[in-house]
Coordinates of all heavy atoms in Angstrom, one line a residue:
M1 N -32.2 -19.0 3.0 CA -31.5 -19.2 1.8 C -30.9 -20.6 1.8 O -30.4 -21.0 2.8 CB -30.4 -18.2 1.7 CG -29.7 -18.1 0.4 SD -28.8 -16.6 0.2 CE -27.3 -17.1 -0.4
N2 N -31.0 -21.3 0.8 CA -30.5 -22.7 0.7 C -29.0 -22.7 0.4 O -28.5 -21.9 -0.3 CB -31.2 -23.4 -0.5 CG -32.7 -23.7 -0.4 OD1 -33.1 -23.6 0.8 ND2 -33.4 -23.9 -1.4
E3 N -28.3 -23.6 1.1 CA -26.9 -23.8 1.0 C -26.7 -24.6 -0.4 O -27.5 -25.5 -0.7 CB -26.3 -24.6 2.1 CG -26.3 -23.9 3.4 CD -25.3 -22.7 3.4 OE1 -24.2 -22.9 2.9 OE2 -25.7 -21.7 3.9
P4 N -25.6 -24.1 -1.1 CA -25.4 -24.9 -2.4 C -25.0 -26.3 -2.1 O -24.4 -26.6 -1.1 CB -24.3 -24.1 -3.1 CG -23.6 -23.2 -2.0 CD -24.8 -23.1 -0.9
S5 N -25.2 -27.2 -3.1 CA -24.7 -28.6 -2.9 C -23.2 -28.5 -3.0 O -22.6 -27.7 -3.7 CB -25.3 -29.5 -3.9 OG -25.1 -29.1 -5.2
T6 N -22.6 -29.6 -2.5 CA -21.1 -29.7 -2.6 C -20.8 -31.0 -3.2 O -21.5 -31.9 -3.3 CB -20.5 -29.6 -1.3 OG1 -20.9 -30.6 -0.4 CG2 -20.7 -28.3 -0.5
T7 N -19.6 -31.1 -3.8 CA -19.1 -32.4 -4.3 C -18.8 -33.4 -3.2 O -18.6 -32.8 -2.0 CB -17.8 -32.2 -5.1 OG1 -16.9 -31.5 -4.4 CG2 -18.1 -31.4 -6.4
E8 N -18.7 -34.6 -3.3 CA -18.5 -35.6 -2.3 C -17.2 -35.2 -1.4 O -17.2 -35.5 -0.2 CB -18.4 -36.9 -2.9 CG -19.8 -37.5 -3.1 CD -19.7 -39.1 -3.5 OE1 -18.8 -39.7 -3.0 OE2 -20.5 -39.5 -4.4
D9 N -16.2 -34.8 -2.2 CA -14.9 -34.5 -1.4 C -15.0 -33.2 -0.7 O -14.1 -32.9 0.1 CB -13.7 -34.6 -2.4 CG -13.8 -33.6 -3.5 OD1 -14.7 -32.7 -3.6 OD2 -13.1 -33.8 -4.5
G10 N -16.0 -32.4 -0.9 CA -16.2 -31.1 -0.2 C -15.3 -30.0 -0.8 O -15.2 -28.8 -0.3
H11 N -14.6 -30.2 -1.9 CA -13.7 -29.3 -2.5 C -14.5 -28.2 -3.4 O -13.9 -27.1 -3.6 CB -12.7 -30.0 -3.4 CG -11.7 -30.8 -2.6 ND1 -10.9 -31.8 -3.2 CD2 -11.5 -31.1 -1.2 CE1 -10.2 -32.4 -2.4 NE2 -10.7 -32.1 -1.2
Y12 N -15.6 -28.5 -3.8 CA -16.3 -27.6 -4.7 C -17.8 -27.5 -4.3 O -18.3 -28.4 -3.7 CB -16.3 -28.1 -6.2 CG -14.9 -28.2 -6.7 CD1 -14.2 -29.4 -6.6 CD2 -14.4 -27.1 -7.3 CE1 -12.9 -29.4 -7.2 CE2 -13.1 -27.2 -7.9 CZ -12.4 -28.4 -7.8 OH -11.1 -28.5 -8.3
V13 N -18.3 -26.3 -4.6 CA -19.8 -26.2 -4.5 C -20.3 -26.2 -5.9 O -19.7 -25.8 -6.8 CB -20.2 -24.8 -3.7 CG1 -19.7 -24.8 -2.2 CG2 -19.7 -23.6 -4.4
V14 N -21.6 -26.5 -6.0 CA -22.2 -26.6 -7.3 C -23.4 -25.7 -7.3 O -24.3 -25.7 -6.5 CB -22.7 -28.1 -7.7 CG1 -23.3 -28.1 -9.1 CG2 -21.4 -29.0 -7.6
I15 N -23.3 -24.6 -8.2 CA -24.3 -23.7 -8.3 C -24.8 -23.6 -9.9 O -23.9 -23.4 -10.7 CB -23.8 -22.3 -7.9 CG1 -23.4 -22.4 -6.5 CG2 -24.9 -21.3 -8.1 CD1 -22.6 -21.1 -5.9
N16 N -26.0 -23.8 -10.0 CA -26.6 -23.8 -11.4 C -25.8 -24.8 -12.3 O -25.5 -24.5 -13.4 CB -26.7 -22.5 -12.0 CG -27.6 -21.6 -11.2 OD1 -28.6 -22.0 -10.7 ND2 -27.3 -20.3 -11.2
G17 N -25.4 -25.9 -11.8 CA -24.6 -27.0 -12.5 C -23.2 -26.7 -12.8 O -22.4 -27.4 -13.4
R18 N -22.7 -25.6 -12.1 CA -21.3 -25.3 -12.4 C -20.6 -25.4 -11.1 O -21.0 -25.0 -10.0 CB -21.2 -23.7 -12.9 CG -19.8 -23.3 -13.2 CD -19.8 -22.1 -14.0 NE -18.4 -21.7 -14.3 CZ -18.0 -20.6 -14.7 NH1 -19.0 -19.6 -15.0 NH2 -16.8 -20.2 -14.9
R19 N -19.3 -25.9 -11.1 CA -18.5 -26.1 -9.9 C -17.7 -24.9 -9.7 O -17.1 -24.4 -10.6 CB -17.5 -27.3 -10.2 CG -18.1 -28.7 -10.1 CD -17.1 -29.7 -10.1 NE -15.9 -29.3 -10.7 CZ -14.7 -30.0 -10.6 NH1 -14.7 -31.2 -10.0 NH2 -13.6 -29.6 -11.2
W20 N -17.6 -24.6 -8.4 CA -16.8 -23.4 -7.9 C -16.1 -24.0 -6.7 O -16.6 -24.7 -5.9 CB -17.7 -22.2 -7.5 CG -18.5 -21.7 -8.6 CD1 -19.8 -22.1 -8.8 CD2 -18.2 -20.6 -9.5 NE1 -20.3 -21.3 -10.0 CE2 -19.4 -20.5 -10.3 CE3 -17.0 -19.9 -9.7 CZ2 -19.4 -19.5 -11.3 CZ3 -17.1 -19.0 -10.7 CH2 -18.3 -18.8 -11.6
R21 N -14.8 -23.5 -6.5 CA -14.0 -24.0 -5.5 C -14.6 -23.5 -4.0 O -15.0 -22.3 -4.0 CB -12.6 -23.4 -5.5 CG -11.7 -24.1 -4.4 CD -10.2 -23.6 -4.4 NE -9.5 -23.6 -5.7 CZ -8.3 -23.1 -5.8 NH1 -7.6 -22.6 -4.8 NH2 -7.7 -23.2 -6.9
A22 N -14.8 -24.4 -3.2 CA -15.3 -24.1 -1.9 C -14.4 -23.3 -1.0 O -13.1 -23.4 -1.2 CB -15.8 -25.4 -1.3
T23 N -15.0 -22.6 -0.1 CA -14.2 -21.9 1.0 C -13.6 -23.0 1.8 O -14.2 -24.0 2.1 CB -15.2 -21.1 1.8 OG1 -15.8 -20.1 1.0 CG2 -14.4 -20.4 3.0
D24 N -12.4 -22.7 2.3 CA -11.6 -23.6 3.1 C -12.4 -23.8 4.4 O -12.7 -22.9 5.2 CB -10.2 -23.0 3.4 CG -9.4 -23.9 4.3 OD1 -9.9 -24.9 4.8 OD2 -8.2 -23.6 4.3
P25 N -12.9 -25.1 4.7 CA -13.7 -25.3 5.9 C -12.9 -25.2 7.2 O -13.5 -25.1 8.2 CB -14.2 -26.8 5.7 CG -13.2 -27.4 4.8 CD -12.6 -26.3 3.9
A26 N -11.6 -25.1 7.1 CA -10.8 -25.0 8.4 C -10.7 -23.6 8.9 O -10.2 -23.4 10.1 CB -9.4 -25.6 8.1
I27 N -11.1 -22.6 8.1 CA -11.1 -21.2 8.6 C -12.0 -21.1 9.7 O -13.2 -21.4 9.6 CB -11.5 -20.2 7.5 CG1 -10.5 -20.4 6.2 CG2 -11.5 -18.9 7.9 CD1 -10.9 -19.6 5.0
P28 N -11.5 -20.5 10.9 CA -12.5 -20.3 12.0 C -13.6 -19.4 11.5 O -13.5 -18.4 10.7 CB -11.6 -19.5 13.0 CG -10.1 -19.9 12.6 CD -10.2 -20.1 11.2
E29 N -14.8 -19.6 12.1 CA -16.0 -18.9 11.6 C -15.9 -17.5 11.7 O -16.3 -16.7 10.9 CB -17.1 -19.5 12.5 CG -18.5 -18.7 12.2 CD -18.9 -19.0 10.7 OE1 -18.6 -20.0 10.1 OE2 -19.6 -18.1 10.2
E30 N -15.3 -17.0 12.8 CA -15.2 -15.5 13.0 C -14.3 -14.8 11.9 O -14.7 -13.8 11.2 CB -14.5 -15.1 14.3 CG -14.5 -13.6 14.6 CD -14.0 -13.3 16.0 OE1 -14.4 -13.9 17.0 OE2 -13.1 -12.4 16.1
R31 N -13.2 -15.5 11.5 CA -12.3 -15.1 10.4 C -13.0 -15.2 9.0 O -12.9 -14.4 8.1 CB -11.0 -15.8 10.4 CG -10.0 -15.3 9.3 CD -9.7 -13.9 9.4 NE -8.6 -13.5 8.5 CZ -8.3 -12.3 8.0 NH1 -9.0 -11.3 8.6 NH2 -7.4 -12.1 7.1
R32 N -13.7 -16.3 8.8 CA -14.4 -16.5 7.6 C -15.4 -15.4 7.4 O -15.6 -14.8 6.3 CB -15.1 -17.8 7.6 CG -15.7 -18.2 6.2 CD -16.9 -19.2 6.2 NE -17.9 -18.8 7.2 CZ -18.9 -17.8 6.9 NH1 -18.9 -17.2 5.7 NH2 -19.8 -17.6 7.8
A33 N -16.2 -15.1 8.4 CA -17.2 -14.0 8.3 C -16.5 -12.6 8.0 O -16.9 -11.9 7.2 CB -18.0 -13.9 9.6
E34 N -15.4 -12.3 8.6 CA -14.7 -11.1 8.4 C -14.2 -11.1 6.9 O -14.3 -10.1 6.2 CB -13.4 -11.1 9.3 CG -12.6 -9.8 9.1 CD -11.3 -9.8 10.1 OE1 -11.0 -10.8 10.7 OE2 -10.6 -8.8 10.1
L35 N -13.5 -12.2 6.4 CA -13.1 -12.2 5.1 C -14.3 -12.1 4.1 O -14.1 -11.5 3.0 CB -12.3 -13.6 4.8 CG -10.9 -13.5 5.5 CD1 -10.4 -15.0 5.4 CD2 -10.0 -12.5 4.9
T36 N -15.3 -12.7 4.4 CA -16.5 -12.7 3.5 C -17.0 -11.2 3.4 O -17.4 -10.7 2.4 CB -17.6 -13.6 3.9 OG1 -17.2 -14.9 4.0 CG2 -18.9 -13.5 3.0
H37 N -17.0 -10.5 4.5 CA -17.4 -9.1 4.6 C -16.4 -8.3 3.7 O -17.0 -7.4 3.0 CB -17.4 -8.6 6.1 CG -17.8 -7.1 6.1 ND1 -19.1 -6.7 6.1 CD2 -17.0 -6.0 6.3 CE1 -19.1 -5.4 6.1 NE2 -17.8 -5.0 6.4
I38 N -15.2 -8.5 3.9 CA -14.2 -7.8 3.0 C -14.5 -8.1 1.6 O -14.4 -7.2 0.7 CB -12.8 -8.2 3.4 CG1 -12.4 -7.6 4.9 CG2 -11.7 -7.6 2.4 CD1 -11.2 -8.2 5.5
L39 N -14.7 -9.4 1.2 CA -14.9 -9.8 -0.3 C -16.1 -9.0 -0.7 O -16.1 -8.4 -1.8 CB -15.1 -11.3 -0.3 CG -15.7 -11.7 -1.7 CD1 -14.7 -11.6 -2.8 CD2 -15.9 -13.2 -1.6
M40 N -17.3 -8.9 0.0 CA -18.4 -8.2 -0.4 C -18.2 -6.7 -0.6 O -18.7 -6.1 -1.5 CB -19.6 -8.6 0.4 CG -19.9 -10.0 0.5 SD -20.0 -10.8 -1.1 CE -21.4 -10.1 -1.8
S41 N -17.4 -6.2 0.3 CA -17.0 -4.8 0.1 C -16.2 -4.4 -1.2 O -16.6 -3.5 -1.8 CB -16.2 -4.3 1.3 OG -16.9 -4.4 2.5
W42 N -15.3 -5.4 -1.5 CA -14.5 -5.2 -2.8 C -15.4 -5.4 -3.9 O -15.3 -4.7 -4.9 CB -13.4 -6.1 -2.8 CG -12.2 -5.6 -2.0 CD1 -11.6 -6.2 -0.9 CD2 -11.5 -4.4 -2.2 NE1 -10.6 -5.4 -0.5 CE2 -10.5 -4.3 -1.2 CE3 -11.6 -3.4 -3.2 CZ2 -9.5 -3.3 -1.2 CZ3 -10.7 -2.3 -3.2 CH2 -9.7 -2.3 -2.2
R43 N -16.4 -6.3 -3.9 CA -17.3 -6.6 -4.9 C -18.2 -5.3 -5.2 O -18.4 -4.9 -6.4 CB -18.2 -7.8 -4.8 CG -17.5 -9.1 -4.9 CD -18.4 -10.3 -4.8 NE -17.7 -11.5 -5.2 CZ -18.2 -12.6 -4.9 NH1 -19.3 -12.8 -4.1 NH2 -17.5 -13.7 -5.3
R44 N -18.7 -4.7 -4.1 CA -19.4 -3.5 -4.3 C -18.5 -2.4 -4.9 O -19.0 -1.5 -5.7 CB -20.0 -2.9 -3.0 CG -21.2 -3.7 -2.5 CD -21.8 -3.1 -1.2 NE -20.9 -3.1 -0.1 CZ -20.7 -4.2 0.7 NH1 -21.4 -5.3 0.6 NH2 -19.9 -3.9 1.8
E45 N -17.3 -2.4 -4.5 CA -16.2 -1.3 -5.1 C -16.0 -1.5 -6.6 O -15.9 -0.6 -7.3 CB -14.9 -1.4 -4.3 CG -14.0 -0.3 -4.5 CD -14.4 1.0 -4.0 OE1 -15.5 1.2 -3.3 OE2 -13.7 2.1 -4.3
V46 N -16.0 -2.8 -7.1 CA -15.9 -3.1 -8.4 C -17.0 -2.6 -9.1 O -16.9 -1.8 -10.2 CB -15.8 -4.7 -8.7 CG1 -16.0 -5.0 -10.1 CG2 -14.4 -5.3 -8.1
R47 N -18.3 -2.7 -8.7 CA -19.4 -2.2 -9.4 C -19.4 -0.7 -9.3 O -19.7 0.0 -10.4 CB -20.8 -2.6 -8.6 CG -21.2 -4.0 -9.0 CD -22.6 -4.2 -8.6 NE -22.9 -4.0 -7.2 CZ -22.7 -4.8 -6.2 NH1 -22.2 -6.0 -6.4 NH2 -23.0 -4.5 -4.8
R48 N -18.9 0.0 -8.2 CA -18.9 1.4 -8.2 C -17.9 2.0 -9.0 O -18.1 3.1 -9.6 CB -18.6 1.9 -6.7 CG -18.7 3.3 -6.5 CD -18.2 3.7 -5.0 NE -16.8 3.6 -4.8 CZ -16.0 4.4 -5.4 NH1 -16.3 5.5 -6.1 NH2 -14.7 4.4 -5.1
T49 N -16.7 1.4 -9.3 CA -15.7 1.8 -10.1 C -15.6 1.4 -11.5 O -14.7 1.7 -12.3 CB -14.3 1.5 -9.4 OG1 -14.2 0.1 -9.4 CG2 -14.2 2.2 -8.1
K50 N -16.6 0.6 -12.0 CA -16.7 0.0 -13.2 C -16.3 1.0 -14.3 O -16.9 2.1 -14.4 CB -18.1 -0.5 -13.6 CG -18.2 -1.4 -14.7 CD -17.7 -2.8 -14.3 CE -18.1 -3.7 -15.5 NZ -17.4 -5.0 -15.2
G51 N -15.4 0.7 -15.2 CA -15.0 1.6 -16.3 C -14.0 2.6 -15.9 O -13.7 3.5 -16.8
T52 N -13.5 2.7 -14.6 CA -12.6 3.7 -14.2 C -11.3 3.1 -14.0 O -11.1 1.9 -13.9 CB -13.1 4.4 -13.0 OG1 -13.0 3.6 -11.9 CG2 -14.5 4.9 -13.1
D53 N -10.2 3.9 -13.8 CA -8.9 3.5 -13.4 C -8.9 2.7 -12.1 O -8.1 1.8 -11.9 CB -7.9 4.6 -13.4 CG -7.7 5.3 -14.7 OD1 -8.0 4.6 -15.8 OD2 -7.2 6.4 -14.7
E54 N -9.8 3.0 -11.1 CA -9.8 2.3 -9.9 C -10.4 1.0 -9.9 O -10.3 0.2 -9.0 CB -10.7 3.2 -8.9 CG -10.1 4.6 -8.5 CD -10.3 5.6 -9.6 OE1 -11.3 5.5 -10.4 OE2 -9.6 6.6 -9.7
E55 N -11.0 0.5 -11.1 CA -11.5 -0.8 -11.1 C -10.6 -1.8 -10.9 O -10.8 -2.8 -10.2 CB -12.3 -1.0 -12.4 CG -13.0 -2.3 -12.5 CD -13.6 -2.5 -13.9 OE1 -13.6 -1.6 -14.7 OE2 -14.2 -3.6 -14.0
R56 N -9.4 -1.6 -11.5 CA -8.3 -2.7 -11.3 C -7.9 -2.9 -9.9 O -7.8 -4.1 -9.5 CB -7.1 -2.2 -12.1 CG -5.9 -3.3 -12.0 CD -4.8 -2.8 -12.8 NE -5.1 -2.9 -14.2 CZ -4.3 -2.9 -15.2 NH1 -3.1 -2.8 -15.1 NH2 -4.8 -3.0 -16.4
A57 N -7.8 -1.9 -9.1 CA -7.6 -2.0 -7.7 C -8.6 -2.8 -7.0 O -8.4 -3.7 -6.1 CB -7.3 -0.7 -7.0
A58 N -9.9 -2.5 -7.3 CA -11.0 -3.2 -6.7 C -11.0 -4.7 -7.1 O -11.3 -5.5 -6.1 CB -12.3 -2.6 -7.1
R59 N -10.7 -5.0 -8.3 CA -10.6 -6.4 -8.7 C -9.4 -7.0 -7.9 O -9.6 -8.3 -7.6 CB -10.6 -6.5 -10.2 CG -11.8 -6.1 -10.9 CD -11.8 -6.4 -12.4 NE -13.1 -6.0 -13.0 CZ -14.2 -6.8 -12.8 NH1 -14.2 -7.9 -12.2 NH2 -15.3 -6.3 -13.5
A60 N -8.4 -6.4 -7.7 CA -7.3 -7.0 -7.0 C -7.7 -7.3 -5.5 O -7.3 -8.3 -4.9 CB -6.0 -6.1 -7.0
G61 N -8.5 -6.5 -5.0 CA -9.1 -6.6 -3.7 C -10.0 -7.9 -3.6 O -9.8 -8.7 -2.6
V62 N -10.8 -8.1 -4.6 CA -11.7 -9.3 -4.7 C -10.7 -10.5 -4.8 O -10.9 -11.6 -4.0 CB -12.5 -9.3 -5.9 CG1 -13.2 -10.6 -6.2 CG2 -13.6 -8.2 -5.8
Q63 N -9.7 -10.5 -5.5 CA -8.8 -11.6 -5.8 C -8.2 -11.9 -4.4 O -8.0 -13.1 -4.0 CB -7.7 -11.3 -6.8 CG -6.6 -12.3 -6.9 CD -7.1 -13.6 -7.5 OE1 -8.2 -13.7 -8.1 NE2 -6.2 -14.7 -7.5
A64 N -7.7 -11.0 -3.6 CA -7.0 -11.1 -2.4 C -7.9 -11.8 -1.4 O -7.4 -12.7 -0.6 CB -6.4 -9.8 -1.9
A65 N -9.1 -11.4 -1.3 CA -10.0 -11.9 -0.4 C -10.4 -13.3 -0.7 O -10.5 -14.3 0.1 CB -11.4 -11.1 -0.3
K66 N -10.6 -13.6 -2.0 CA -11.0 -15.0 -2.5 C -9.7 -15.9 -2.2 O -10.0 -17.1 -1.9 CB -11.3 -15.0 -4.0 CG -12.5 -14.2 -4.1 CD -13.7 -14.5 -5.1 CE -14.1 -15.8 -5.5 NZ -15.3 -16.3 -4.9
V67 N -8.5 -15.5 -2.4 CA -7.3 -16.3 -2.1 C -7.4 -16.5 -0.6 O -7.1 -17.7 -0.2 CB -6.0 -15.6 -2.5 CG1 -4.8 -16.3 -1.9 CG2 -6.0 -15.6 -4.1
A68 N -7.6 -15.6 0.3 CA -7.5 -15.8 1.8 C -8.7 -16.7 2.1 O -8.4 -17.6 3.0 CB -7.8 -14.4 2.4
L69 N -9.7 -16.7 1.4 CA -10.9 -17.7 1.8 C -10.5 -19.1 1.2 O -11.2 -20.1 1.5 CB -12.2 -17.3 1.1 CG -12.8 -16.1 1.9 CD1 -13.9 -15.3 1.1 CD2 -13.4 -16.6 3.2
G70 N -9.5 -19.3 0.3 CA -9.2 -20.5 -0.3 C -9.9 -20.7 -1.6 O -9.9 -21.9 -2.1
E71 N -10.7 -19.8 -2.1 CA -11.6 -20.1 -3.2 C -10.8 -19.8 -4.5 O -11.3 -20.1 -5.6 CB -12.8 -19.1 -3.2 CG -13.8 -19.4 -2.0 CD -14.9 -18.4 -1.9 OE1 -15.0 -17.6 -2.8 OE2 -15.5 -18.4 -0.9
R72 N -9.6 -19.3 -4.4 CA -8.6 -19.1 -5.6 C -7.2 -19.3 -5.0 O -7.0 -19.3 -3.8 CB -8.7 -17.7 -6.1 CG -10.0 -17.4 -6.9 CD -10.1 -16.1 -7.5 NE -11.3 -15.9 -8.1 CZ -11.8 -14.7 -8.4 NH1 -11.0 -13.6 -8.2 NH2 -13.0 -14.5 -9.0
G73 N -6.3 -19.4 -5.9 CA -4.9 -19.5 -5.5 C -4.3 -21.0 -5.8 O -5.1 -21.8 -6.0
T74 N -3.1 -21.0 -5.9 CA -2.4 -22.3 -6.1 C -1.3 -22.5 -5.1 O -0.6 -21.6 -4.8 CB -1.6 -22.1 -7.6 OG1 -2.7 -21.9 -8.5 CG2 -1.1 -23.5 -8.0
P75 N -1.3 -23.7 -4.5 CA -2.1 -24.8 -4.8 C -3.5 -24.6 -4.0 O -3.6 -23.8 -3.2 CB -1.4 -26.0 -4.1 CG -0.5 -25.4 -3.0 CD -0.2 -24.0 -3.5
P76 N -4.5 -25.5 -4.5 CA -5.8 -25.3 -3.7 C -5.7 -25.7 -2.3 O -4.7 -26.3 -1.9 CB -6.7 -26.3 -4.5 CG -5.8 -27.2 -5.2 CD -4.5 -26.5 -5.4
W77 N -6.6 -25.2 -1.4 CA -6.5 -25.4 0.0 C -6.3 -26.8 0.4 O -5.6 -27.1 1.4 CB -7.6 -24.7 0.8 CG -9.0 -25.1 0.4 CD1 -9.8 -24.5 -0.4 CD2 -9.6 -26.3 0.8 NE1 -11.0 -25.1 -0.5 CE2 -11.0 -26.3 0.2 CE3 -9.5 -27.3 1.7 CZ2 -12.0 -27.2 0.5 CZ3 -10.4 -28.3 1.9 CH2 -11.6 -28.2 1.3
W78 N -6.9 -27.8 -0.3 CA -6.8 -29.1 0.2 C -5.4 -29.7 -0.1 O -5.1 -30.9 0.4 CB -7.9 -30.0 -0.5 CG -8.0 -30.0 -1.9 CD1 -7.4 -30.7 -2.8 CD2 -8.7 -29.1 -2.8 NE1 -7.6 -30.5 -4.1 CE2 -8.5 -29.5 -4.1 CE3 -9.6 -28.1 -2.5 CZ2 -9.1 -28.8 -5.2 CZ3 -10.2 -27.4 -3.5 CH2 -10.0 -27.8 -4.9
E79 N -4.6 -29.1 -0.9 CA -3.2 -29.5 -1.0 C -2.2 -28.8 -0.3 O -1.0 -29.0 -0.4 CB -2.9 -29.4 -2.6 CG -3.7 -30.3 -3.5 CD -3.3 -30.1 -4.9 OE1 -2.5 -29.4 -5.3 OE2 -4.0 -30.9 -5.8
Q80 N -2.7 -27.9 0.6 CA -1.7 -27.2 1.4 C -1.6 -27.8 2.8 O -2.5 -28.5 3.2 CB -2.3 -25.7 1.6 CG -2.4 -24.8 0.4 CD -2.9 -23.5 0.6 OE1 -3.8 -23.3 1.5 NE2 -2.6 -22.5 -0.2
T81 N -0.5 -27.6 3.4 CA -0.4 -28.1 4.8 C -1.2 -27.2 5.7 O -1.6 -26.0 5.3 CB 1.2 -28.0 5.3 OG1 1.5 -26.5 5.3 CG2 2.1 -28.7 4.3
D82 N -1.4 -27.6 6.9 CA -2.2 -27.0 7.9 C -1.5 -25.5 8.2 O -2.2 -24.6 8.3 CB -2.3 -27.7 9.2 CG -3.2 -28.9 9.1 OD1 -3.9 -29.0 8.1 OD2 -3.1 -29.7 10.0
E83 N -0.2 -25.6 8.2 CA 0.5 -24.2 8.3 C 0.4 -23.3 7.2 O 0.1 -22.0 7.4 CB 2.0 -24.6 8.6 CG 2.3 -25.3 9.9 CD 3.7 -25.8 9.9 OE1 4.5 -25.8 8.8 OE2 4.1 -26.4 10.9
Q84 N 0.4 -23.8 6.0 CA 0.2 -22.9 4.8 C -1.3 -22.4 4.8 O -1.5 -21.2 4.5 CB 0.4 -23.7 3.6 CG 1.8 -24.0 3.3 CD 2.1 -25.0 2.1 OE1 1.2 -26.0 1.9 NE2 3.0 -24.8 1.3
R85 N -2.3 -23.2 5.2 CA -3.7 -22.8 5.2 C -3.8 -21.8 6.2 O -4.5 -20.7 6.0 CB -4.5 -24.1 5.4 CG -4.6 -25.0 4.3 CD -5.3 -26.3 4.7 NE -6.6 -26.2 4.7 CZ -7.4 -27.2 5.0 NH1 -7.0 -28.4 5.3 NH2 -8.8 -27.0 5.2
R86 N -3.3 -21.9 7.4 CA -3.4 -21.0 8.5 C -2.8 -19.7 8.1 O -3.3 -18.6 8.3 CB -2.8 -21.5 9.8 CG -3.1 -20.6 11.0 CD -2.6 -21.3 12.3 NE -3.2 -22.6 12.5 CZ -2.5 -23.8 12.3 NH1 -1.3 -23.7 11.9 NH2 -3.0 -25.0 12.5
A87 N -1.6 -19.7 7.5 CA -0.9 -18.5 7.1 C -1.7 -17.7 6.0 O -1.8 -16.5 6.1 CB 0.4 -18.8 6.5
R88 N -2.4 -18.5 5.1 CA -3.2 -17.8 4.0 C -4.4 -17.1 4.6 O -4.6 -15.9 4.3 CB -3.7 -18.9 3.1 CG -4.5 -18.4 2.0 CD -5.2 -19.5 1.1 NE -5.5 -20.8 1.8 CZ -6.6 -21.0 2.4 NH1 -7.3 -20.1 2.8 NH2 -6.7 -22.3 2.9
W89 N -5.1 -17.7 5.6 CA -6.4 -17.0 6.1 C -6.0 -16.0 7.2 O -6.8 -15.0 7.4 CB -7.5 -17.9 6.5 CG -7.2 -18.7 7.9 CD1 -7.2 -18.0 9.0 CD2 -7.2 -20.0 8.1 NE1 -7.1 -19.0 10.1 CE2 -7.1 -20.2 9.5 CE3 -7.2 -21.1 7.3 CZ2 -7.0 -21.5 10.0 CZ3 -7.2 -22.4 7.8 CH2 -7.0 -22.6 9.2
Q90 N -4.8 -16.0 7.7 CA -4.4 -15.1 8.7 C -3.8 -13.8 8.1 O -3.6 -12.9 8.8 CB -3.5 -15.7 9.8 CG -4.2 -16.7 10.7 CD -3.3 -17.3 11.9 OE1 -2.1 -17.3 11.6 NE2 -3.8 -17.9 12.8
A91 N -3.3 -13.9 6.9 CA -2.7 -12.8 6.2 C -3.6 -11.6 6.2 O -4.8 -11.8 6.0 CB -2.2 -13.2 4.8
A92 N -3.0 -10.4 6.3 CA -3.8 -9.2 6.2 C -4.4 -9.0 4.8 O -3.7 -9.4 3.8 CB -2.9 -8.0 6.5
V93 N -5.7 -8.7 4.7 CA -6.3 -8.4 3.5 C -6.9 -7.0 3.6 O -7.6 -6.7 4.5 CB -7.4 -9.4 3.2 CG1 -8.2 -9.1 1.9 CG2 -7.0 -10.8 3.3
A94 N -6.5 -6.2 2.7 CA -6.9 -4.8 2.6 C -8.4 -4.7 2.5 O -9.0 -5.5 1.9 CB -6.2 -4.0 1.7
T95 N -9.0 -3.6 3.0 CA -10.3 -3.2 2.8 C -10.5 -2.0 1.9 O -9.5 -1.2 1.9 CB -11.0 -3.0 4.1 OG1 -10.4 -1.9 4.9 CG2 -11.1 -4.3 4.9
P96 N -11.5 -1.8 1.2 CA -11.6 -0.6 0.4 C -11.6 0.7 1.3 O -12.0 0.7 2.4 CB -13.0 -0.7 -0.2 CG -13.4 -2.1 -0.1 CD -12.7 -2.7 1.1
A97 N -10.9 1.7 0.7 CA -10.8 2.9 1.4 C -12.2 3.7 1.6 O -13.1 3.6 1.0 CB -9.9 3.8 0.7

């Protein structure tokens, strides 16, 4: 699978001509893999619960995982201190039940 192109500053990936915030490159590989696994589990949960009351909780799980990865949240990861970045990715992120 090809890696998406990134902007020169590394802050965004470009997919089909659209910019998306890149994952924080400072996240240790093991933790990044764990958070990505959690994110994909929540995305499957969103599909499974589509149109039900549980969908909102599943979408909140996606949001939490994306924030931990640095792909969402304010301020963006490149404006955070090293301590803020570490606290973000080390914070507990729930997994689907």
